[in-house]
Amino acid sequence: MSNSDWSDTPDPHAAATPRRRVDAWSVLRIAVMVFGLFSLGFWGYWSWRLPLPGLVFMIGAPLFAAVVWYLFRSSRSPIETDLVGKTIVELALVVAAGGAWISIGHPVVGVVFIVVAAVSGLVAFRRETR
């Protein structure tokens, strides 16, 4: 018999990182991000002739936005950015996606997207600054 008492040993799986809570605001935030990327891709498809310029903008615009978001706005960003910088980056990406809809002739979609993204961004800002 061993001198160790294993009954006091904590369960290693219980010490795992806590799961992030998922609520309606988090789902809306993800939907806004996905729709923003879709908007930029759709703008690239609709505004540029295929094959070469259309494909470059259809793939490049959402990819560029995703990389900028990751580098400066993401919670796992490798670059330290203050709250003002994060706000500027998010505002630029939201306006670009909303402006894409406006430029292809759907201003209502663009304005509604900007308003919904602004509300989502304000809620996220309030949560980050608690």
Side-chain angles (χ1 to χ4, degrees):
M1 191 148 223
S2 156
N3 291 340
S4 300
D5 184 15
W6 289 97
S7 63
D8 294 334
T9 305
D11 182 21
H13 299 293
T17 58
R19 294 181 63 176
R20 295 179 72 182
R21 65 185 180 126
V22 176
D23 58 355
W25 288 111
S26 300
V27 172
L28 177 66
R29 186 92 171 132
I30 291 169
V32 164
M33 291 179 210
V34 169
F35 189 75
L37 293 175
F38 167 77
S39 300
L40 292 172
F42 187 71
W43 169 80
Y45 170 76
W46 194 257
S47 297
W48 299 91
R49 292 183 337 143
L50 290 175
L52 189 60
L55 285 175
V56 168
F57 283 99
M58 193 168 62
I59 295 168
L63 183 64
F64 178 76
V67 168
V68 168
W69 182 273
Y70 170 72
L71 289 176
F72 298 104
R73 182 64 184 97
S74 169
S75 60
R76 299 179 186 152
S77 171
I79 299 172
E80 281 294 320
T81 308
D82 65 343
L83 202 52
V84 173
K86 288 182 178 185
T87 304
I88 290 170
V89 167
E90 183 168 353
L91 183 64
L93 294 175
V94 165
V95 168
W101 283 105
I102 293 169
S103 75
I104 61 175
H106 297 287
V108 173
V109 176
V111 171
V112 168
F113 172 74
I114 290 173
V115 169
V116 170
V119 170
S120 169
L122 284 173
V123 171
F125 172 77
R126 297 286 295 169
R127 288 182 173 184
E128 288 179 8
T129 56
R130 278 188 197 173

